[in-house]
Short mmCIF file of all heavy atoms in Angstrom, two decimals:
data_model
loop_
_atom_site.label_atom_id
_atom_site.label_comp_id
_atom_site.label_asym_id
_atom_site.label_seq_id
_atom_site.Cartn_x
_atom_site.Cartn_y
_atom_site.Cartn_z
N GLY A 29 84.00 90.91 93.74
CA GLY A 29 84.67 89.66 93.29
C GLY A 29 85.96 90.22 92.51
O GLY A 29 87.15 89.95 92.95
N SER A 30 85.73 90.88 91.48
CA SER A 30 86.77 91.40 90.70
C SER A 30 86.44 92.81 90.07
O SER A 30 85.33 92.88 89.54
CB SER A 30 87.27 90.48 89.64
OG SER A 30 87.88 91.07 88.48
N THR A 31 87.25 93.79 90.17
CA THR A 31 86.86 95.01 89.63
C THR A 31 86.73 94.96 88.09
O THR A 31 85.93 95.66 87.45
CB THR A 31 87.88 96.18 89.97
OG1 THR A 31 89.15 95.76 89.82
CG2 THR A 31 87.76 96.56 91.48
N ASN A 32 87.54 94.10 87.49
CA ASN A 32 87.40 93.93 86.01
C ASN A 32 86.00 93.39 85.72
O ASN A 32 85.38 93.75 84.75
CB ASN A 32 88.51 92.99 85.51
CG ASN A 32 89.77 93.64 85.09
OD1 ASN A 32 90.11 94.72 85.60
ND2 ASN A 32 90.58 93.13 84.22
N ASP A 33 85.63 92.38 86.51
CA ASP A 33 84.32 91.79 86.25
C ASP A 33 83.18 92.73 86.48
O ASP A 33 82.16 92.75 85.75
CB ASP A 33 84.15 90.53 87.07
CG ASP A 33 85.05 89.39 86.67
OD1 ASP A 33 85.59 89.48 85.55
OD2 ASP A 33 85.12 88.38 87.46
N GLN A 53 89.16 92.40 96.97
CA GLN A 53 88.58 91.66 95.93
C GLN A 53 88.57 90.12 96.44
O GLN A 53 89.55 89.60 96.92
CB GLN A 53 89.35 91.68 94.69
CG GLN A 53 89.47 93.03 93.95
CD GLN A 53 90.16 93.02 92.67
OE1 GLN A 53 89.66 93.27 91.67
NE2 GLN A 53 91.49 92.67 92.72
N LYS A 55 87.78 87.57 94.31
CA LYS A 55 88.15 86.75 93.16
C LYS A 55 89.14 87.54 92.28
O LYS A 55 88.87 87.69 91.03
CB LYS A 55 86.99 86.20 92.34
CG LYS A 55 86.17 85.22 93.10
CD LYS A 55 85.02 84.71 92.27
CE LYS A 55 84.16 83.77 93.23
NZ LYS A 55 82.81 83.58 92.80
N GLY A 56 90.07 88.25 92.83
CA GLY A 56 91.00 89.06 92.03
C GLY A 56 91.66 88.17 91.04
O GLY A 56 92.13 87.09 91.34
N LYS A 57 91.70 88.66 89.81
CA LYS A 57 92.25 87.79 88.67
C LYS A 57 93.61 88.34 88.23
O LYS A 57 93.81 89.52 88.05
CB LYS A 57 91.29 87.87 87.45
CG LYS A 57 89.96 87.35 87.88
CD LYS A 57 89.05 87.21 86.50
CE LYS A 57 88.69 88.61 85.97
NZ LYS A 57 87.88 88.52 84.82
N GLY A 58 94.57 87.39 87.93
CA GLY A 58 95.82 87.70 87.40
C GLY A 58 95.80 87.23 85.97
O GLY A 58 94.87 86.60 85.53
N ARG A 59 96.89 87.44 85.29
CA ARG A 59 97.08 86.85 83.90
C ARG A 59 97.19 85.40 83.87
O ARG A 59 97.56 84.81 85.01
CB ARG A 59 98.29 87.52 83.23
CG ARG A 59 98.16 88.98 82.99
CD ARG A 59 99.27 89.59 82.42
NE ARG A 59 99.56 89.13 80.99
CZ ARG A 59 100.87 89.10 80.44
NH1 ARG A 59 101.81 89.47 81.18
NH2 ARG A 59 100.93 88.68 79.22
N ASN A 60 96.89 84.71 82.78
CA ASN A 60 97.05 83.33 82.64
C ASN A 60 96.31 82.45 83.66
O ASN A 60 96.76 81.51 84.19
CB ASN A 60 98.50 82.92 82.48
CG ASN A 60 99.25 83.71 81.45
OD1 ASN A 60 98.75 83.75 80.34
ND2 ASN A 60 100.32 84.22 81.70
N ARG A 62 95.84 83.01 86.80
CA ARG A 62 96.21 83.07 88.20
C ARG A 62 95.31 83.94 89.01
O ARG A 62 94.56 84.82 88.52
CB ARG A 62 97.70 83.56 88.29
CG ARG A 62 98.73 82.70 87.70
CD ARG A 62 100.09 83.18 87.99
NE ARG A 62 100.28 84.52 87.34
CZ ARG A 62 100.91 84.68 86.10
NH1 ARG A 62 101.39 83.64 85.51
NH2 ARG A 62 100.97 85.81 85.61
N PHE A 64 94.86 86.97 91.83
CA PHE A 64 95.57 88.11 92.38
C PHE A 64 95.03 88.34 93.83
O PHE A 64 93.89 88.92 94.03
CB PHE A 64 95.46 89.30 91.45
CG PHE A 64 96.38 90.49 91.89
CD1 PHE A 64 97.66 90.45 91.50
CD2 PHE A 64 95.86 91.44 92.70
CE1 PHE A 64 98.54 91.48 91.77
CE2 PHE A 64 96.78 92.56 93.04
CZ PHE A 64 98.07 92.51 92.63
N SER A 66 93.92 89.92 97.01
CA SER A 66 93.52 91.35 97.21
C SER A 66 92.90 91.60 98.52
O SER A 66 91.70 91.78 98.73
CB SER A 66 92.57 91.71 96.13
OG SER A 66 92.93 91.23 94.75
N LEU A 72 96.25 98.42 95.86
CA LEU A 72 95.49 99.31 94.92
C LEU A 72 94.90 98.30 93.94
O LEU A 72 95.58 97.60 93.28
CB LEU A 72 96.38 100.32 94.30
CG LEU A 72 95.80 101.53 93.82
CD1 LEU A 72 95.00 102.26 94.85
CD2 LEU A 72 97.00 102.45 93.31
N TYR A 73 93.55 98.15 93.89
CA TYR A 73 92.86 97.34 93.00
C TYR A 73 92.06 98.24 92.08
O TYR A 73 91.03 98.71 92.58
CB TYR A 73 92.16 96.25 93.62
CG TYR A 73 92.77 95.64 94.81
CD1 TYR A 73 92.33 95.71 96.11
CD2 TYR A 73 94.17 95.03 94.70
CE1 TYR A 73 93.11 95.17 97.23
CE2 TYR A 73 94.79 94.56 95.73
CZ TYR A 73 94.31 94.61 97.01
OH TYR A 73 95.05 94.21 98.10
N CYS A 74 92.42 98.41 90.82
CA CYS A 74 91.75 99.48 89.92
C CYS A 74 91.52 99.02 88.61
O CYS A 74 92.30 98.27 87.99
CB CYS A 74 92.79 100.60 89.92
SG CYS A 74 92.36 101.93 88.75
N SER A 75 90.30 99.29 88.06
CA SER A 75 89.99 98.85 86.61
C SER A 75 89.49 100.14 85.98
O SER A 75 88.75 100.93 86.60
CB SER A 75 88.91 97.74 86.65
OG SER A 75 89.45 96.64 87.18
N ASP A 117 104.40 93.56 83.95
CA ASP A 117 104.61 93.44 85.35
C ASP A 117 105.56 94.46 85.96
O ASP A 117 106.48 94.86 85.13
CB ASP A 117 105.25 92.03 85.71
CG ASP A 117 104.24 90.92 85.74
OD1 ASP A 117 103.05 91.19 85.53
OD2 ASP A 117 104.71 89.74 85.71
N LYS A 124 108.21 90.98 92.38
CA LYS A 124 107.10 91.55 91.71
C LYS A 124 106.18 92.36 92.67
O LYS A 124 105.74 91.80 93.72
CB LYS A 124 106.23 90.27 91.15
CG LYS A 124 104.95 90.87 90.39
CD LYS A 124 104.29 89.85 89.61
CE LYS A 124 102.80 90.29 89.21
NZ LYS A 124 102.25 89.50 88.23
N ALA A 126 103.55 94.58 91.22
CA ALA A 126 102.30 94.91 90.52
C ALA A 126 102.20 94.17 89.25
O ALA A 126 103.06 93.71 88.61
CB ALA A 126 102.27 96.50 90.22
N GLY A 127 100.85 94.08 88.85
CA GLY A 127 100.65 93.49 87.54
C GLY A 127 99.41 94.08 86.89
O GLY A 127 98.66 94.76 87.52
N VAL A 128 99.21 93.78 85.61
CA VAL A 128 98.12 94.37 84.75
C VAL A 128 97.43 93.18 84.03
O VAL A 128 98.12 92.27 83.54
CB VAL A 128 98.87 95.29 83.71
CG1 VAL A 128 97.81 95.72 82.76
CG2 VAL A 128 99.52 96.43 84.37
N LEU A 129 96.17 93.35 84.10
CA LEU A 129 95.24 92.39 83.38
C LEU A 129 94.42 93.10 82.44
O LEU A 129 93.54 93.91 82.86
CB LEU A 129 94.54 91.54 84.30
CG LEU A 129 93.44 90.58 83.69
CD1 LEU A 129 94.27 89.51 82.80
CD2 LEU A 129 92.52 90.01 84.70
N GLY A 147 92.99 96.49 84.07
CA GLY A 147 92.99 96.20 85.43
C GLY A 147 94.42 96.28 85.91
O GLY A 147 95.31 95.67 85.33
N ILE A 148 94.69 96.94 86.90
CA ILE A 148 96.01 97.01 87.60
C ILE A 148 95.89 96.70 89.06
O ILE A 148 95.05 97.33 89.70
CB ILE A 148 96.80 98.31 87.22
CG1 ILE A 148 98.17 98.30 87.78
CG2 ILE A 148 96.00 99.58 87.67
CD1 ILE A 148 99.22 99.22 87.10
N GLY A 149 96.79 95.94 89.55
CA GLY A 149 96.90 95.70 90.98
C GLY A 149 98.27 95.94 91.49
O GLY A 149 99.20 95.58 90.91
N VAL A 150 98.45 96.62 92.61
CA VAL A 150 99.61 96.98 93.21
C VAL A 150 99.62 96.45 94.65
O VAL A 150 98.73 96.77 95.37
CB VAL A 150 99.86 98.49 93.23
CG1 VAL A 150 101.31 98.84 93.78
CG2 VAL A 150 99.63 99.14 91.79
C1 BTN B 301 98.88 89.80 87.06
O1 BTN B 301 99.87 90.23 87.86
O2 BTN B 301 98.89 88.70 86.57
C2 BTN B 301 97.81 90.82 86.85
C3 BTN B 301 97.10 91.20 88.07
C4 BTN B 301 96.07 92.14 87.81
C5 BTN B 301 95.27 92.45 89.06
C6 BTN B 301 94.18 93.51 89.02
S1 BTN B 301 93.59 94.06 90.45
C7 BTN B 301 92.32 94.94 89.73
C8 BTN B 301 91.93 94.18 88.54
N1 BTN B 301 90.88 93.33 88.89
C9 BTN B 301 91.21 91.99 88.80
O3 BTN B 301 90.53 91.02 89.07
N2 BTN B 301 92.45 91.95 88.30
C10 BTN B 301 93.06 93.26 88.11
#
Side-chain angles (χ1 to χ4, degrees):
S30 152
T31 52
N32 271 28
D33 288 348
Q53 299 184 114
K55 290 184 185 156
K57 300 187 293 183
R59 291 176 69 206
N60 303 311
R62 287 186 300 261
F64 191 82
S66 314
L72 204 53
Y73 316 121
C74 171
S75 299
D117 280 350
K124 175 169 167 169
V128 172
L129 174 67
I148 183 158
V150 185

